[in-house]
Amino acid sequence: MSKDFPLSHSQLKELVKTYPTPFYLYDEKGIRDNLHYFKNAFSIFPEFREYFAVKALPNPYILKILEDEGCGGDCSSLPELMLCESAGISGNRVMFTSNDTPAEEFQYAYKHGDIINLDDITHIEYLKQTLGGRLPDTICFRYNPGPLKEGGNAIIGKPEEAKYGLTRDQIIAAYAQCKKEGVKHFGLHTMVASNELNPDFFVDTANIIFDLMIELQQKDGVRIEFVDLGGGVGIPYKPGQKKVDLDYVAKKIRTLYDEKIVPAGLDPLAICFECGRPITGPYGWLVTTAIHEKHIYRDYIGVDASMADLMRPGMYGAYHEITVSGKENAEKNRCYDVTGSLCENCDKFAVQRELPEIEIGDILIIHDAGAHGRAMGYNYNGKLRCGELLLRTDGTILPIRRKETIEDYFATLDFEGLKDFKVKA
């Protein structure tokens, strides 16, 4: 059975008359409903915060919708911090989780009251010097559990091989140092998964973090006020995969909370996540048109989108379901590689995929592209990134990012200076 798409074939045909492919389409209602489900699952805790991972879908219109639903933002750069500000997300609703961070970005986050989440013990002194000899009242550290946490995949890697976070011994020393220097409020963060579908993985992460909290209280006298369990909640890209049962995850973590946090006197504790993919991923689609076919050792369908618009399949072999608009119920009797036009053989949206027979002019819908899709676009081969459309709850379509133009691509080049440029013989 084909995955859902919010427009009928006739509606989509009309839409492409106004907005030629390729483009991204996002469903506002789906995103809102999905966030409601997430928040309701974790409402069993004294406080729950979701910091949407801005890197997944950095568009101020989307962020404004999430802000309206009480969502915060997890940022890793100055532009992402500014995007949150533009959408009304500020102060402790912003988690600044960066690494190898320039001084001016720390300064901006501090000035706007954002929570600064440090990635290394050496960053304490760096931040202190950056802020004129002081530290913020609130500090969070990112913990890397190393071999304590099994798992990992091609996206984030094994914890002990990842560049992120502090070791257990460093974490204990870091909180002791910050407490000595007058920091008043503390948080604890970890991020050890990406696109994980096993619900017990997140329960296990909470168990590790809760034990560390208790150890920090005993050794440093530090009371952790919020824990950010990171993101990494996956979505069922492939047929047969199941959505993560967040109610199950929340109840299991609540059991650990009652067994460990409450007796340790650390209740109330805010539980936080920084998910992006499970919020917007299933409610974004890359829409593209078949413009070429090729029949050599394999059958190929060439489309007007490319890896420059969606690099996940080419980058690490990620799977995205593809449907042919108007042929959702047709027999899948052909085997295609669906390709873009980059001069790279990995520019493929699908490899040896069973699909209905595709004709030139057919509209293809690439599903589950609402996170880490347009955000990861680039301009290799001089490709111009596509625009973004938003399907509002009233059924209207709003353009929220225009397509790039050749003028955009050339904007940072000095063609005037080229006139005086002399090439040596």
Side-chain angles (χ1 to χ4, degrees):
M1 184 175 179
S2 296
K3 289 198 172 193
D4 292 334
F5 182 68
L7 301 179
S8 68
H9 177 56
S10 59
Q11 287 174 322
L12 183 56
K13 285 177 66 178
E14 285 300 311
L15 182 62
V16 300
K17 291 178 182 178
T18 304
Y19 302 102
T21 59
F23 57 76
Y24 275 89
L25 177 70
Y26 308 113
D27 179 9
E28 178 182 354
K29 182 179 185 303
I31 291 171
R32 287 184 183 271
D33 289 348
N34 216 20
L35 185 56
H36 291 168
Y37 165 62
F38 201 109
K39 292 171 62 179
N40 287 340
F42 286 89
S43 63
I44 59 176
F45 291 94
E47 184 180 355
F48 173 70
R49 309 178 203 165
E50 157 62 359
Y51 294 93
F52 178 74
V54 177
K55 65 183 180 183
L57 183 47
N59 188 294
Y61 289 84
I62 301 298
L63 294 178
K64 189 64 178 177
I65 291 170
L66 297 175
E67 188 277 334
D68 184 58
E69 296 290 346
C71 195
D74 178 82
C75 302
S76 57
S77 68
L78 179 56
E80 289 184 354
L81 291 171
M82 296 173 74
L83 278 172
C84 277
E85 286 285 332
S86 72
I89 302 173
S90 60
N92 65 6
R93 294 177 68 192
V94 175
M95 183 76 67
F96 187 41
T97 305
S98 61
N99 61 93
D100 297 327
T101 309
E104 60 269 20
E105 299 193 3
F106 276 139
Q107 291 167 351
Y108 183 97
Y110 176 75
K111 179 181 178 181
H112 289 81
D114 305 331
I115 297 173
I116 295 178
N117 184 19
L118 294 179
D119 187 63
D120 191 71
I121 191 170
T122 62
H123 294 173
I124 299 172
E125 188 60 32
Y126 182 84
L127 179 62
K128 184 178 176 182
Q129 293 177 4
T130 295
L131 302 181
R134 62 184 180 279
L135 289 172
D137 288 340
T138 300
I139 283 286
C140 186
F141 286 101
R142 179 170 184 166
Y143 174 51
N144 184 331
L148 284 177
K149 186 65 179 174
E150 296 181 356
N153 55 31
I155 300 175
I156 199 167
K158 295 179 180 179
E160 64 268 35
E161 296 174 0
K163 68 174 183 174
Y164 309 107
L166 289 75
T167 67
R168 174 186 160 278
D169 290 343
Q170 289 175 336
I171 278 276
I172 293 171
Y175 282 106
Q177 180 179 344
C178 287
K179 182 181 179 182
K180 184 178 180 181
E181 300 216 24
V183 176
K184 299 180 177 64
H185 307 285
F186 297 95
L188 177 61
H189 166 272
T190 194
M191 174 70 179
V192 290
S194 184
N195 196 34
E196 178 60 58
L197 291 175
N198 179 4
D200 290 311
F201 188 97
F202 308 102
V203 180
D204 179 61
T205 298
N207 190 41
I208 292 172
I209 291 299
F210 288 170
D211 285 344
L212 180 57
M213 280 182 57
I214 295 169
E215 186 176 10
L216 287 167
Q217 181 192 45
Q218 294 171 346
K219 291 186 175 180
D220 291 345
V222 166
R223 185 186 188 284
I224 301 296
E225 298 177 12
F226 63 90
V227 292
D228 186 337
L229 297 174
V233 177
I235 61 176
Y237 287 101
K238 296 181 179 180
Q241 291 181 328
K242 293 183 179 180
K243 181 178 180 180
V244 175
D245 186 342
L246 293 177
D247 290 307
Y248 171 90
V249 173
K251 289 174 183 177
K252 286 287 189 177
I253 294 177
R254 178 71 215 207
T255 298
L256 291 174
Y257 185 99
D258 291 336
E259 291 175 352
K260 296 187 175 188
I261 298 302
V262 174
L266 295 171
D267 176 53
L269 170 71
I271 301 296
C272 310
F273 275 86
E274 56 176 66
C275 290
R277 192 188 317 267
I279 305 300
T280 60
Y283 300 100
W285 301 265
L286 175 58
V287 180
T288 183
T289 300
I291 58 173
H292 290 287
E293 60 180 317
K294 185 181 180 75
H295 307 283
I296 47 173
Y297 306 105
R298 292 181 177 183
D299 291 337
Y300 296 89
I301 293 295
V303 297
D304 58 4
S306 74
M307 188 178 168
D309 298 304
L310 177 63
M311 70 186 301
R312 295 187 71 254
M315 184 178 184
Y316 31 65
Y319 181 97
H320 285 265
E321 187 77 352
I322 296 177
T323 55
V324 184
S325 185
K327 298 181 179 180
E328 291 83 359
N329 298 316
E331 181 184 358
K332 296 181 178 180
N333 57 1
R334 299 294 297 273
C335 184
Y336 296 111
D337 282 15
V338 180
T339 64
S341 58
L342 288 190
C343 297
E344 296 291 338
N345 196 47
C346 61
D347 184 15
K348 297 181 179 182
F349 296 112
V351 176
Q352 294 296 275
R353 186 77 59 86
E354 298 291 333
L355 292 166
E357 184 173 0
I358 297 174
E359 302 170 271
I360 301 303
D362 278 350
I363 302 172
L364 277 62
I365 301 164
I366 302 176
H367 294 260
D368 300 311
H372 310 287
R374 175 60 171 75
M376 294 174 70
Y378 58 106
N379 291 124
Y380 178 63
N381 259 176
K383 294 298 179 180
L384 305 176
R385 289 170 288 189
C386 66
E388 297 173 300
L389 306 176
L390 177 65
L391 174 62
R392 303 303 310 275
T393 55
D394 62 3
T396 58
I397 299 289
L398 177 68
I400 58 174
R401 189 196 298 267
R402 64 168 174 79
K403 292 184 177 182
E404 287 185 331
T405 65
I406 292 176
E407 289 74 21
D408 294 327
Y409 182 77
F410 290 149
T412 56
L413 295 173
D414 181 10
F415 286 103
E416 287 300 315
L418 184 65
K419 296 175 182 177
D420 299 321
F421 180 67
K422 304 297 183 184
V423 179
K424 292 182 180 180

